[in-house]
Each structure stands twice: as C-alpha cells, then as structure tokens.
C-alpha cells in the first residue's frame, strides 16, 4: 500500500493548518509547528484571535473573512509579527472552516527590497547624470527619460508627458527620422557607439545598446546622448577664424604688390586717354572704370587684415553719417529709392576711425540698394540703448535666405552674379576692430536689417 494522505501532508515541508467555523485550529502539520514556534498541543483547539490578538483588523483578518464570506480562495502576502518574516498565505474555504497553506518568502522579499533599493539608486544616478539618457522597452515605449534629456531636447515637454510614449513620438518632436536613430537600431539588436546625430539646432554623439534577458533576447534599449552642439559651433568659428587669418596673410603679402603696378598702369592710361582719337575715348573710359573697380577690390581685400592700422579719435557717429549723406543720396536718387534718416541727437562721441566707419556704412547701404529692385525706403538710424550706441541700416528688398545667414560674413561668399564676397567681410572686420558687434535680421522677400552696436567706452 502507498503512503497515507495524512502522512504526505504531515511530511510535505509546507506549513498547512485548518480552522473550524469558529476559528479554532483543528489541524496543524509539523512544518506549521516550526513556522509558528509552538507545538500542536499548544495550538489545537485554540481560537486564532486569542493566540495572535495582534492579527485582529490586519490584512490576515480581512483576507480570512473574505475567503469565508465569499466562498473563494484568497492568496496574499503579509508580514507575520510573531515570526518576524514575510509569508505568502493561500486560504481555501471548506465546508466546515478554512484550510491554509503558508510559505516563507522572507528571503524573496529581502531580495526584492534590495532590487528596489538598487533600482532607486540607479534611477537617482540616471536623473543626476548630465548626459541625456533614454530607456525603451522592447516595443519602443519610453520607460525612463532623465531631466538632462528633457531640458536639452524637449524643453516644451515634461518628463511625465514622455513616459509611456513611443520613441517614434520623441523623434517626431525632435524633427528626425525614427528609423535612423541609434536607439531604434539598438532595439533591433545592434550596438551603436559614438554615432553623430544631427537635428535642426543640435548635434549629439549617441551611444545605444540593446538590453538583453538571460537568454540573450532583446527586451529593450538604452541610449546615452552627449550634446556637442557648442563644440561644433566653436569648431566652425575656429575654422572661420583660420580662413580669416589666411586671407589676412594673403592680403598683407599680395595686395600691396598688386596695387603698385596697377597705379602705374592707371596713370599711363589716363595720360594716353587724353591723346587718343575721340572714337576711342569710350573704350579708355571703360578700361579706367574697370581699373577703379579692381582698386576698390584691393582696398576691400586689405581691409580684411586684422593687423590693419586704424586711427581712432573721439568723434560723433551722426557727424560721420551726415558727411556721407550726399553720396548716399546720389545712389538712392539714381534708383528712385527714398532715404530715411533717424539720428538720435543724444549719441555721445566715440573712438572711431572715420574712414572705416564711412566704408562700413557705404558698404551696407549699397548692399541694401542692390537688394531693392524697385521703389522703396532705405533707413539709417542711430540710437543710444543701455550705454551702447546702435547703428541700424534697413532695406525693404529681397532679403536673405535663412540657409545663407551664417555665411554672409565669410570672405568670398556671395550670391550675386558679379559680387566679390568681400563687402560684408570688410564690414565685420571694421566692426571687430572697433570692439563692436554686428547682427543681421532678414527674411526672404521681407527685407534686411543690420544692427551694429558700438561700446561707448573703448580702449
């Protein structure tokens, strides 16, 4: 004969005990004796609430009565104050009471607590990390996103708004293609290292790895993003500075050598132009005009040199503008364009090189006139704001495309068929030598406004 059921229950190793309908213990096996720390002789026939009055009103009390009243099995976890450990309780109603199975899960709960503690610490580290961090589940849904990521890339959103959204949603907010991102590739099992991703106004180095389960299956992905936007901007500025330095060296070494023979050629042409037949005067005039154009090009070329000597003295910006107003009016009248002058009488004297400032204004004015194909208004304005003198030159011409705005001060960059690409480079150099700043606001078809700011005190 096989073992009796009662012997199996007695030696099964799982605490099992039963209550009658009056909550008296009617059976307890040896494993339950060990769990409770009492012998069955001390427990059998006793009412549970008399043995453990501290259980009245707690989770165990509630679940036991629920099992009896609803006639269905209940399963729950509770901390047993007597045993000082966590138990998993399964209680099943029977005809004359309740049968209970108990399991010691104290080690499991301690492990879970440790995992929660490590998870909490990890989340704190992720949140404090200055790099952007994004964690997705296997469906590409955001589980974790830190403040550094939100502040840099999604400042209009809150972290809570992003949790639970898809990675594709975030990519759309950033204006990039989801399938080309490092995190998308990591979700497909690829490890992406030092991948440069570019957005509308940012550049990042991203590293993304798949998150694997114990069997090596991808169950998510984590991406770490290092913002190098400022570094790239600085690198572009350094490259631009290198180009300026190259131009400076070329200007200093070549322009003077070109100007000397040009002066001789121009002198002889002027001499011969007075001795040639009248039917050749027009041709000589054309040649002389072209030589003057080359001379102006050389002058502009030399103006790019950072080491160009300037003679600054205390004088008023309004006075300089007034001195060249006849030249400006001559140009505006030829083109049927109205000139508007708004000069702040409160402008203080500044340390200025009047020749360079005249060249600056004339270059900006002629740029504006060339941008206006028909009748319009060209405005020159001065004002004093925050102890700084502002000079504005505004046209209502064709404007500058956004893609060109960050290139207009580069030497030799031009969109004009016959332009040299030096005019605005010269302007930037003049402003720089006067310790000022130059900015441009423009929209295609809406006109352009240059703003030059001079400090009232310069060394």
């Amino acid at each position: 004969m096989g073992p009796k059921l009662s012997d199996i229950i007695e030696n099964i190793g799982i605490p099992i005990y039963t209550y009658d309908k009056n909550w008296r213990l009617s059976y307890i096996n040896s494993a339950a004796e060990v769990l409770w720390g009492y012998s069955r002789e001390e427990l059998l026939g006793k009412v549970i609430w008399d043995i453990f009055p501290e259980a009245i009103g707690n989770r165990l009390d509630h679940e036991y009565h629920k099992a009896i009243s609803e006639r269905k099995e209940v399963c729950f976890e509770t901390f047993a104050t007597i045993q000082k450990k966590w138990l998993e309780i399964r209680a099943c109603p029977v005809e004359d009471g309740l049968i209970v199975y108990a399991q010691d899960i104290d080690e499991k709960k301690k492990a879970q607590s440790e995992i929660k503690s490590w998870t909490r610490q990890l989340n704190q580290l992720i949140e404090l990390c200055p790099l952007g961090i994004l964690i997705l589940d296997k469906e590409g849904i955001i589980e974790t996103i830190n403040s550094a990521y939100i502040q840099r890339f999604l400042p209009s959103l809150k972290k809570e708004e992003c949790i639970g959204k898809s990675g594709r949603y975030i990519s759309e907010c950033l204006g990039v293609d989801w399938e080309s991102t490092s995190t998308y590739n990591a979700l497909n099992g690829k490890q992406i290292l030092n991948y440069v991703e570019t957005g509308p106004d940012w550049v990042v180095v991203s590293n993304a790895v798949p998150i694997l389960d114990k069997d090596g299956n991808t169950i998510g992905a984590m991406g770490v993003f290092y913002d190098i936007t400022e570094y790239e901007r600085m690198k572009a500025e350094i490259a631009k500075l290198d180009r300026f330095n190259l131009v400076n060296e070329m200007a200093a070494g070549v322009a003077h050598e070109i100007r000397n023979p040009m002066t001789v050629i121009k002198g002889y042409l002027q001499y011969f132009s007075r001795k040639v037949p009248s039917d050749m005067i027009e041709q000589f005039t054309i040649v002389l005009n072209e030589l003057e154009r080359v001379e102006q090009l050389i002058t502009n070329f030399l103006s790019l040199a950072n080491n160009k000597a300037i003679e600054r003295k205390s004088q008023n910006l309004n006075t300089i503008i007034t001195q060249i107003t006849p030249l400006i009016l001559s140009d505006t009248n030829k083109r049927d364009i109205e000139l508007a002058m708004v000069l702040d009488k409160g402008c203080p004297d500044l340390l200025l090189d009047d020749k360079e400032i005249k060249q600056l204004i004339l270059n900006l004015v002629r740029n504006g006139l060339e941008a206006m194909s028909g009748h319009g208004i060209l405005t020159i304005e001065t004002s004093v704001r925050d102890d700084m003198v502002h000079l504005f030159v505004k046209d209502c011409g064709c404007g500058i495309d956004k893609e060109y705005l960050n290139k207009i001060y580069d030497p030799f960059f031009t969109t004009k068929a016959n332009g040299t690409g030096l005019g605005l480079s010269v302007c930037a150099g003049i402003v720089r030598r006067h310790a000022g700043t130059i900015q441009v606001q423009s929209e295609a078809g809406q006109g352009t406004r240059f703003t030059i700011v001079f400090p009232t005190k310069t060394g």
Side-chain angles (χ1 to χ4, degrees):
M1 292 179 62
K4 295 180 179 180
L5 179 61
S6 59
D7 293 334
I8 295 174
I9 294 174
E10 179 65 24
N11 298 297
I12 197 171
I14 299 174
I16 298 175
Y17 40 96
T18 61
Y19 300 103
D20 64 19
K21 58 185 178 180
N22 296 314
W23 299 106
R24 298 179 183 277
L25 276 161
S26 55
Y27 173 78
I28 178 171
N29 70 354
S30 56
E33 285 183 291
V34 174
L35 174 67
W36 286 31
Y38 293 94
S39 67
R40 66 188 71 192
E41 288 76 15
E42 295 176 282
L43 296 173
L44 289 174
K46 301 288 180 65
V47 175
I48 184 176
W49 315 121
D50 294 336
I51 303 172
F52 304 123
E54 66 273 10
I56 297 174
N58 70 6
R59 178 76 182 277
L60 185 140
D61 183 353
H62 172 77
E63 295 291 342
Y64 278 2
H65 281 86
K66 178 180 177 181
I68 294 294
S69 62
E70 297 183 7
R71 306 301 298 169
K72 69 177 184 180
E73 178 183 304
V74 295
C75 183
F76 59 96
E77 295 177 357
T78 185
F79 183 76
T81 56
I82 298 299
Q83 294 87 353
K84 303 296 183 184
K85 60 177 61 178
W86 280 92
L87 301 176
E88 182 181 81
I89 304 293
R90 186 179 297 274
C92 302
V94 291
E95 184 176 348
D96 58 348
L98 198 66
I99 183 169
V100 179
Y101 306 83
Q103 185 172 356
D104 183 348
I105 59 168
D106 205 52
E107 291 301 320
K108 173 185 171 183
K109 294 296 287 188
K110 287 178 180 178
Q112 288 177 344
S113 178
E114 288 181 5
I115 290 173
K116 286 181 180 179
S117 176
W118 278 105
T119 301
R120 184 166 57 252
Q121 292 179 44
L122 178 60
N123 287 335
Q124 288 174 342
L125 286 173
I126 289 173
E127 182 61 23
L128 292 172
C129 182
L131 306 181
I133 296 178
L134 188 67
I135 298 177
L136 310 177
D137 68 13
K138 65 179 180 180
E139 303 299 330
I141 303 302
I142 296 171
E143 290 185 339
T144 301
I145 185 169
N146 70 346
S147 294
Y149 192 102
I150 294 289
Q151 290 168 6
R152 177 58 189 91
F153 304 110
L154 302 166
S156 62
L157 298 178
K158 294 181 179 178
K159 187 159 58 172
E160 295 74 18
E161 295 178 79
C162 297
I163 302 296
K165 295 284 178 58
S166 68
R168 184 183 297 276
Y169 169 80
I170 296 298
S171 293
E172 290 174 353
C173 290
L174 295 174
V176 296
D177 178 45
W178 165 236
E179 280 77 13
S180 69
T181 62
S182 58
T183 42
Y184 174 83
N185 283 279
L187 279 174
N188 287 279
K190 298 177 183 178
Q191 180 172 290
I192 308 297
L193 300 177
N194 299 321
Y195 176 60
V196 178
E197 295 186 57
T198 303
D201 60 350
W202 49 263
V203 183
V204 299
V205 174
S206 62
N207 290 271
V209 294
I211 299 173
L212 308 177
D213 63 13
K214 60 183 179 63
D215 299 319
N217 300 313
T218 300
I219 58 172
M222 181 174 75
V224 180
F225 305 88
Y226 175 46
D227 184 4
I228 61 168
T229 308
E230 187 63 20
Y231 167 76
E232 288 294 310
R233 187 194 66 78
M234 290 175 60
K235 189 167 73 172
E237 288 296 325
I238 291 171
K240 184 183 292 186
L241 185 60
D242 287 341
R243 290 197 298 273
F244 273 117
N245 290 336
L246 176 61
V247 170
N248 292 339
E249 292 176 12
M250 292 173 62
V254 177
H256 284 295
E257 296 300 323
I258 295 175
R259 172 171 277 177
N260 291 335
M262 286 290 298
T263 302
V264 175
I265 294 170
K266 182 179 178 182
Y268 274 105
L269 283 172
Q270 289 172 334
Y271 173 76
F272 288 129
S273 68
R274 295 193 292 269
K275 297 183 178 295
V276 298
S278 58
D279 59 344
M280 293 186 66
I281 291 176
E282 183 179 353
Q283 286 82 350
F284 269 83
T285 302
I286 292 172
V287 173
L288 285 168
N289 286 340
E290 289 302 306
L291 280 174
E292 288 180 0
R293 184 169 177 270
V294 173
E295 278 189 325
Q296 184 59 47
L297 178 60
I298 293 171
T299 299
N300 287 341
F301 201 51
L302 285 169
S303 294
L304 292 175
N306 284 330
N307 58 358
K308 178 184 176 183
I310 62 172
E311 298 178 2
R312 289 187 294 172
K313 59 183 179 181
S314 181
Q315 50 194 314
N316 198 278
L317 180 60
N318 290 346
T319 302
I320 295 174
I321 295 172
T322 302
Q323 290 170 353
I324 59 172
T325 298
L327 290 174
I328 299 172
L329 283 171
S330 175
D331 288 338
T332 56
N333 290 337
K334 289 177 185 177
R335 297 172 180 266
D336 193 27
I337 290 173
E338 181 182 344
L339 175 64
M341 304 278 282
V342 184
L343 305 182
D344 188 339
K345 294 180 180 180
C347 280
D349 288 351
L350 305 171
L351 287 175
L352 303 173
D353 182 316
D354 60 333
K355 292 181 181 178
E356 286 215 322
I357 298 301
K358 287 176 183 177
Q359 185 180 10
L360 165 69
I361 297 169
L362 289 173
N363 279 1
L364 293 176
V365 164
R366 285 167 182 162
N367 263 16
L369 294 176
E370 289 173 5
M372 291 190 284
S373 57
H375 181 73
I377 300 175
L378 179 79
T379 304
I380 300 175
E381 180 183 351
T382 60
S383 69
V384 181
R385 304 177 185 179
D386 301 324
D387 294 327
M388 308 286 268
V389 175
H390 292 65
L391 167 65
F392 304 97
V393 179
K394 180 182 178 183
D395 65 62
C396 52
C398 59
I400 304 170
D401 289 338
K402 288 184 179 179
E403 60 183 303
Y404 300 138
L405 281 175
N406 62 341
K407 300 178 181 179
I408 59 174
Y409 303 115
D410 293 354
F412 310 114
F413 175 79
T414 181
T415 58
K416 301 172 185 176
N418 298 315
T420 64
L422 293 176
L424 289 177
S425 296
V426 168
C427 291
I430 292 171
V431 173
R432 186 169 57 252
R433 287 192 289 275
H434 283 78
T437 60
I438 182 169
Q439 294 180 332
V440 62
Q441 294 174 291
S442 185
E443 289 187 27
Q446 300 296 317
T448 301
R449 185 175 82 159
F450 284 93
T451 303
I452 298 92
V453 180
F454 296 104
T456 53
K457 297 180 180 179
T458 57

